[in-house]
């Protein structure tokens, strides 16, 4: 009985010429293998570089923090010092006193100025946020002829310095009989702001169109889509716009100097100017009163920033994500 021969198939799967190419090209190059001691030194060098970079970043951040925070800490410390120690540059007062805060409330209508500023700031921030959002929504959502040139024209208004429109704007408010009131400090925001229109348009452009198309199929109006879909989706941008304008209105001194004449209508910046004139270098040199009033006017903005910090960071991080 014969046994069938078994064919040798060891080279059956090789492609023609494969062995020849391997013989000509040789084996693929291998990465150099470092000895254990070399690998350890390489890892140690990389770890040292990362630690040095992290240390440099932390040191830079600490230095910048000190530079920005020191004036505020100095102001707060000086408000608790007597007149003779205001400029001694001690961050911890040698003589601690709260008399300065009582003097400020007695010498100036701080509560009235704070109330005026709060009303003006709220009206200015709310009006400019809503009107700018409406205009930005129109530029972002609707397609119409001349949209590009018209938007360019809106942006071009940012190139005009405020001094150019100062006199014409004053003449308009004077003809309306509103000079001497707080109306000119916020009513101009009813027409929006080019900067905020650009800012909010960037957010609206980044929204998906599917929710709006579904809302249109359900018969939703343009106002409904804007109020119930667009604004909630752009909440960080809306809060960011509100914070920017609130800070700008709270610290505005130019317009109160032009339009306000009676101390009962003064805002905080205009009131501080009056206190500097009365108690500063041109007056009685009671700088402890001036710095204490400065602390009282700075605290509300610090609180507002911390309340909206999360939206502030989110809004800045996503601004300009789509053009």
């Amino acid at each position: 009985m014969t046994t069938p021969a078994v064919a040798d198939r060891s080279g059956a799967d090789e492609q023609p010429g494969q062995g020849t190419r391997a013989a000509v090209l040789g084996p693929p190059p291998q990465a150099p293998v470092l000895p254990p001691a070399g690998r350890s030194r390489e890892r140690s060098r990389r770890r040292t570089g990362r630690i040095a970079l992290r240390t440099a970043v932390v040191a830079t951040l600490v230095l910048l923090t000190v530079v920005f925070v020191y004036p505020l800490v100095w102001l707060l410390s000086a408000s608790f010092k007597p007149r003779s120690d205001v400029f001694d540059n001690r961050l911890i007062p040698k003589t601690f006193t709260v008399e300065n805060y009582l003097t400020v409330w007695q010498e100036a209508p701080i509560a009235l100025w704070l109330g005026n500023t709060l009303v003006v700031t709220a009206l200015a921030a709310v009006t400019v946020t809503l009107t700018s959002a409406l205009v930005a929504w129109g530029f972002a959502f609707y397609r119409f002829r001349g949209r590009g040139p018209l938007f360019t024209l809106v942006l071009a208004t940012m190139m005009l310095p405020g001094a150019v429109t100062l006199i014409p704007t004053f003449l308009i408010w004077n003809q309306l009989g509103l000079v001497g009131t707080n109306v000119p400090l916020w009513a101009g925001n009813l027409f929006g702001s080019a900067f905020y229109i650009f800012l909010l348009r960037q957010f609206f452009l980044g929204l998906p169109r599917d929710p709006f198309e579904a809302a249109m199929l359900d018969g939703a109006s343009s106002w409904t889509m804007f109020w119930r879909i667009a604004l909630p989706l752009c909440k960080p941008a809306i809060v960011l716009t509100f914070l920017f304008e609130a800070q700008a209105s709270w610290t505005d001194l130019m317009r109160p100097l032009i339009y306000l004449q009676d101390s009962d209508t003064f805002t905080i910046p205009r009131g501080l100017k009056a206190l500097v004139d009365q108690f500063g270098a041109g007056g009685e040199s009671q700088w402890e009163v001036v710095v204490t009033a400065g602390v009282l006017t700075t605290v509300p903005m610090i609180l507002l920033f911390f309340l909206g910090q999360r939206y502030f960071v989110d809004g800045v991080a996503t601004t300009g994500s789509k053009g």
Side-chain angles (χ1 to χ4, degrees), residues 104 108 110 113 270-280 289-290 293:
V104 167
I110 294 293
W113 294 348
R270 182 64 182 90
L272 283 179
K273 177 65 170 57
L275 288 179
V276 171
D277 294 339
Q278 180 179 354
F279 296 101
V289 176
V290 177

Side-chain angles (χ1 to χ4, degrees), residues 29 34 47 104 106 130 195 198 205 212 273-274 288 294 317:
L34 296 175
R47 189 182 306 111
V104 167
Q106 293 171 358
L130 289 178
F195 172 74
F198 170 77
L205 286 175
F212 302 102
K273 177 65 170 57
E288 73 279 5

Side-chain angles (χ1 to χ4, degrees), residues 110 114 250-251 268-269 272 292-302:
I110 294 293
L114 285 173
W250 186 275
T251 59
I268 279 296
L272 283 179
T292 303
V295 171
L296 293 175
T297 58
T298 304
V299 169
M301 282 295 98
I302 296 176

